[in-house]
Amino acid sequence: MLPNPAKLISYRQEADFRSGLIHVRENAESIFLAHREDRLKARLLRRIESFVVNFRKITSVNRNVGFFTTGYNWLIQIIPALIVAPSFIAGQLNSA
């Protein structure tokens, strides 16, 4: 059985983004007094961008896995019929 590819993609970006938000919330007053808003804003924007890129990768992998499994489920039903159909049409097989 193959592992789920979405689980192979790291969720570290989301964790980094959440920890950054918690840091800002817990230290909002000292950040304001030290005039570090711009630096933390830039850091959070980079983290959210990384998070969005990672989320798109996960979505893409899940989409591709869905396409593969849907196609495979259709093929396992159609291929046997395509193999037997010529013999049945030629009259070499009896219908049951």
Side-chain angles (χ1 to χ4, degrees):
M1 181 165 189
L2 295 174
N4 184 354
K7 290 182 182 178
L8 299 177
I9 297 175
S10 172
Y11 288 96
R12 182 176 178 88
Q13 288 83 3
E14 180 181 359
D16 287 345
F17 175 65
R18 288 176 187 255
S19 68
L21 289 177
I22 291 170
H23 172 75
V24 169
R25 183 180 64 199
E26 290 176 348
N27 301 303
E29 186 176 347
S30 62
I31 292 169
F32 175 74
L33 292 174
H35 303 288
R36 295 180 56 199
E37 300 98 344
D38 293 335
R39 190 178 339 168
L40 284 172
K41 180 180 176 182
R43 184 187 306 169
L44 285 175
L45 288 175
R46 282 193 310 271
R47 286 182 177 178
I48 196 166
E49 181 180 340
S50 175
F51 170 70
V52 168
V53 167
N54 188 49
F55 181 77
R56 287 183 177 159
K57 286 180 186 177
I58 291 170
T59 304
S60 173
V61 167
N62 282 333
R63 181 198 62 220
N64 293 342
V65 168
F67 285 157
F68 175 78
T69 56
T70 301
Y72 179 78
N73 286 334
W74 274 98
L75 285 176
I76 62 174
Q77 295 175 13
I78 294 173
I79 287 179
L82 293 175
I83 292 171
V84 174
S87 299
F88 183 75
I89 292 172
Q92 296 172 350
L93 296 175
N94 295 329
S95 61

